[in-house]
Amino acid sequence: MSLRFGQHLIKPSVVFLKTELSFALVNRKPVVPGHVLICPLRPAERFRDLHPEEVTDLFCVAQRVGNVVEQHFGGTSLTIAVQDGPEAGQTVKHVHVHILPRKSGDFSRNDNVYDELQHHDKEDSPSKWRSEDEMAAEAALLKKYFQ
């Protein structure tokens, strides 16, 4: 069964965690290794559109996933970001949380991560995406942490 992420159909092979209200998937064009997304199952466009139980589940999942990707990808910190609306850089009209494991020196200026996040989907062409096999392999590795 495929899931929806805004206008995108998400194949189960790239989803590594699913709860009653949220799901976590690998990113087709990660800003840093381990950059993943957490989304509510219900396609809500803006954060304000979420029900309180969806907010709770979304951020509980973000916390669990953040711990895993930081450990798995050898990070020492996390950037957790929500771009809520087009002026905030949201390109997919479906609430989602970016989880990025961070390491010392991964950007020349630490806050450059936000510039990268704002632009990473704007130059969106399939030639720059990871292969479905590569994404499925990463999802399979991460899924093991949640079984």
Side-chain angles (χ1 to χ4, degrees):
M1 175 185 142
S2 295
L3 299 168
R4 297 225 46 99
F5 173 46
Q7 68 272 28
H8 305 285
L9 199 58
I10 302 301
K11 294 184 178 181
S13 62
V14 303
V15 174
F16 60 90
L17 177 62
K18 186 176 170 209
T19 66
E20 287 185 27
L21 299 174
S22 303
F23 66 101
L25 68 151
V26 299
N27 202 319
R28 68 183 178 195
K29 194 173 142 198
V31 170
V32 296
H35 175 189
V36 298
L37 303 174
I38 317 299
C39 310
L41 286 170
R42 185 175 66 87
E45 186 172 330
R46 298 285 308 275
F47 188 74
R48 66 179 173 228
D49 300 330
L50 295 176
H51 302 303
E53 60 274 9
E54 291 172 313
V55 173
T56 299
D57 191 73
L58 187 71
F59 280 93
C60 285
V61 170
Q63 184 180 47
R64 288 175 64 198
V65 167
N67 289 335
V68 165
V69 296
E70 183 176 344
Q71 174 192 343
H72 183 81
F73 290 94
T76 54
S77 298
L78 293 170
T79 293
I80 299 171
V82 177
Q83 296 165 297
D84 190 33
E87 290 74 29
Q90 182 184 23
T91 56
V92 176
K93 293 180 178 184
H94 188 144
V95 173
H96 55 287
V97 180
H98 293 264
I99 308 288
L100 297 91
R102 301 291 305 277
K103 298 176 184 176
S104 179
D106 55 4
F107 289 92
S108 59
R109 192 175 77 74
N110 192 45
D111 281 352
N112 285 355
V113 68
Y114 301 109
D115 296 331
E116 287 296 320
L117 270 176
Q118 185 153 357
H119 298 293
H120 89 287
D121 277 343
K122 291 194 173 145
E123 304 161 4
D124 201 23
S125 73
S127 66
K128 296 184 179 190
W129 299 348
R130 295 192 297 168
S131 74
E132 192 175 316
D133 288 344
E134 185 180 2
M135 292 170 61
E138 183 175 302
L141 284 173
L142 294 174
K143 191 179 285 191
K144 292 178 183 178
Y145 289 96
F146 300 101
Q147 295 175 335

